[in-house]
Amino acid sequence: MISKNKVVYFGIAFLPDKNALALRASSMAKLARELGYEPIIVGMDPSICAGTYQKSTLDGIDCYEIQYPTKTIEWIKSLVSTKALLKVFDDIGVDHIHSIIMADYRFFVMFQIWDFCKQNDIRFIADIMDWFVVNSYLNPKEWVRGIDSWLRVNILYPFLNRRICICHNFERKYRKRGKNVIIPMVQSGSVDRIQYTPTDKITFAFAGQPGKGCCKEKIDWLIRAIYELKLCKKVVFEIAGITKEQFIIENLNMERFINDESIVFLGRISHSKCVEMMSKADYSVLLRKKTRLSEYGFSTKISEAFLCGTPLLATDTSDTSIYVESGVNGFVCGCSYESVKDVLRQIIEISPEKYLQIRKNVSNENALSLNRYIDMFKEIL
């Protein structure tokens, strides 16, 4: 009898750790391995030719990579083509595949793979991570992505029998349809933390791209609050991923709030330098508006901060307040400038002893540890 023990995870994952989905794929593969399955990750790489694949290994896990389209004609074909994926499944051995987990990929491709799974007695599981929001209908690619996302969320996902939801909002949406489990952005393993040493200033840390007008990450709220509360001598806000010049070009109205003594732009830095920055900081920063994208999703910044042992300053979007509790392992505030300003007032009044207890809580009780979700993953397989 042929053993069906292989669990395949596929999505737009740039291996080994170049984007959030690569980290997600690695975590899911390790969960499958903990349950005795043989995990396989299928990611993407722009350097690979269309219709072909490359093989490698990551932490003892077999990996395949197919083409990530960079040209318009390639991108259009990727909306419907399953050619490369089917070649990968054939190389793996279709008769050995127990489950295929697909993370928010093209609607027509997911539909075809769902049908492929039904024909070959393979369990098809959707890993539902976000609901794309179109920022500009003048951009044809964004417009198509918006339609594709809507079709996935409202036409395909409701009819599936098995779903992994990254947050409770997705679980509530599909609660009466099939089997659902909630697995947020969990982290496995450890990072090389830098020893935390208290200083006479409170340090906040952010890594990422805030976007034009800080449309993605509202770090402008914290920059402005530091200025208006006259905390330039008491607070340092380190920002990695963008230079001061780039930030001002995209946020012209913010220049007057930036004091070089308290707002430090580091530009693009390596992952190891980001870990060092985060480990040494007093707080990691996650500030977002309440939008469909922020409500239907879960930021890697939460699990990354926990892995570094760093408390969070975060706005209350999606499931953030489930994992971050004010005064216990960080601070959660409303999604507005005034709320950020108010919580900053609270933070600067905390005694050193109270802060060290908050930091200790982060290290001692990581709610996003991989091991906490083994049973949950078992339910969906």
Side-chain angles (χ1 to χ4, degrees):
M1 182 177 177
I2 295 174
S3 174
K4 293 175 74 72
N5 69 329
K6 297 186 178 183
V7 174
V8 181
Y9 188 96
F10 170 69
I12 305 176
F14 301 135
L15 304 176
D17 57 6
K18 296 175 185 173
N19 65 347
L21 193 53
L23 300 174
R24 177 77 165 178
S26 178
S27 295
M28 291 293 176
K30 289 173 182 176
L31 285 171
R33 188 163 61 186
E34 286 290 328
L35 293 171
Y37 293 95
E38 183 182 340
I40 295 169
I41 297 173
V42 183
M44 305 189 82
D45 187 320
S47 68
I48 295 171
C49 295
T52 65
Y53 60 82
Q54 288 182 2
K55 297 172 70 172
S56 61
T57 58
L58 174 64
D59 295 331
I61 297 167
D62 287 339
C63 299
Y64 289 77
E65 289 172 289
I66 63 173
Q67 184 194 53
Y68 178 77
T70 54
K71 298 177 181 178
T72 301
I73 189 65
E74 293 171 347
W75 186 78
I76 292 171
K77 287 179 180 178
S78 77
L79 294 173
V80 296
S81 176
T82 61
K83 183 180 178 181
L85 269 179
L86 293 179
K87 282 184 178 180
V88 168
F89 299 154
D90 186 57
D91 189 72
I92 292 168
V94 174
D95 292 338
H96 294 283
I97 300 176
H98 175 277
S99 307
I100 293 175
I101 305 172
M102 292 190 75
D104 289 335
Y105 197 62
R106 326 294 193 208
F107 167 77
F108 289 106
V109 174
M110 290 189 79
F111 189 89
Q112 290 175 77
I113 299 302
W114 178 35
D115 187 57
F116 168 83
C117 287
K118 287 188 286 186
Q119 292 176 26
N120 290 280
D121 191 27
I122 296 170
R123 288 183 179 173
F124 182 83
I125 304 166
D127 187 11
I128 308 173
M129 298 178 62
D130 62 40
W131 190 346
F132 183 75
V133 174
V134 178
N135 291 315
S136 171
Y137 282 95
L138 297 177
N139 184 328
K141 192 172 181 179
E142 275 208 21
W143 184 72
V144 173
R145 283 185 67 192
I147 294 173
D148 191 73
S149 179
W150 187 91
L151 289 170
R152 274 198 315 271
V153 170
N154 295 292
I155 303 299
L156 176 62
Y157 292 160
F159 291 96
L160 301 181
N161 292 322
R162 296 170 186 271
R163 289 170 289 266
I164 299 170
C165 301
I166 201 165
C167 65
H168 282 77
N169 283 337
F170 275 126
E171 190 275 335
R172 280 187 282 267
K173 184 174 178 63
Y174 304 117
R175 182 168 291 173
K176 297 180 181 179
R177 296 173 177 266
K179 184 179 288 188
N180 304 292
V181 297
I182 300 168
I183 302 180
M185 286 295 294
V186 297
Q187 291 276 15
S188 61
S190 60
V191 295
D192 295 326
R193 296 184 190 174
I194 303 299
Q195 181 66 38
Y196 170 76
T197 304
T199 66
D200 59 348
K201 291 186 177 183
I202 299 172
T203 303
F204 295 89
F206 168 84
Q209 295 287 329
K212 189 172 183 178
C214 291
C215 60
K216 297 178 182 178
E217 309 276 355
K218 296 299 293 177
I219 62 172
D220 56 328
W221 286 344
L222 184 56
I223 292 171
R224 182 181 162 194
I226 291 169
Y227 175 85
E228 294 192 347
L229 292 175
K230 297 179 172 58
L231 297 176
C232 296
K233 301 288 186 182
K234 296 181 178 180
V235 168
V236 174
F237 185 16
E238 295 184 337
I239 301 166
I242 189 170
T243 65
K244 178 182 176 180
E245 292 72 25
Q246 289 169 331
F247 181 80
I248 290 173
I249 287 171
E250 294 186 341
N251 302 272
L252 293 174
N253 63 324
M254 291 300 299
E255 186 171 9
R256 66 191 181 95
F257 299 117
I258 297 173
N259 180 305
D260 290 340
E261 184 180 359
S262 58
I263 311 300
V264 181
F265 290 91
L266 303 174
R268 292 184 65 86
I269 61 177
S270 67
H271 181 260
S272 61
K273 288 292 184 183
C274 275
V275 171
E276 180 180 343
M277 176 187 73
M278 205 64 66
S279 299
K280 291 165 67 176
D282 294 292
Y283 295 92
S284 174
V285 173
L286 173 60
L287 304 176
R288 292 178 176 175
K289 285 183 176 180
K290 263 194 192 301
T291 64
R292 191 177 72 197
L293 188 62
S294 65
E295 288 295 286
Y296 286 85
F298 191 87
S299 175
T300 57
K301 287 182 172 57
I302 301 175
S303 54
E304 287 169 350
F306 287 174
L307 206 57
C308 291
T310 305
L312 267 155
L313 166 59
T315 44
D316 188 10
T317 57
S318 187
D319 287 351
T320 300
S321 60
I322 294 175
Y323 304 98
V324 184
E325 186 177 350
S326 286
V328 177
N329 60 351
F331 286 87
V332 180
C333 63
C335 300
S336 69
Y337 165 67
E338 289 301 329
S339 294
V340 171
K341 191 175 179 180
D342 288 343
V343 82
L344 183 56
R345 287 193 186 100
Q346 294 176 44
I347 288 172
I348 61 173
E349 295 299 327
I350 292 174
S351 69
E353 295 76 20
K354 172 64 174 174
Y355 173 76
L356 288 175
Q357 183 58 53
I358 291 173
R359 195 173 186 94
K360 186 177 178 182
N361 293 341
V362 176
S363 296
N364 291 348
E365 193 67 25
N366 185 352
L368 296 173
S369 171
L370 186 79
N371 292 335
R372 290 174 175 264
Y373 295 90
I374 294 173
D375 292 339
M376 195 82 71
F377 194 70
K378 184 178 181 180
E379 283 183 35
I380 206 67
L381 286 184

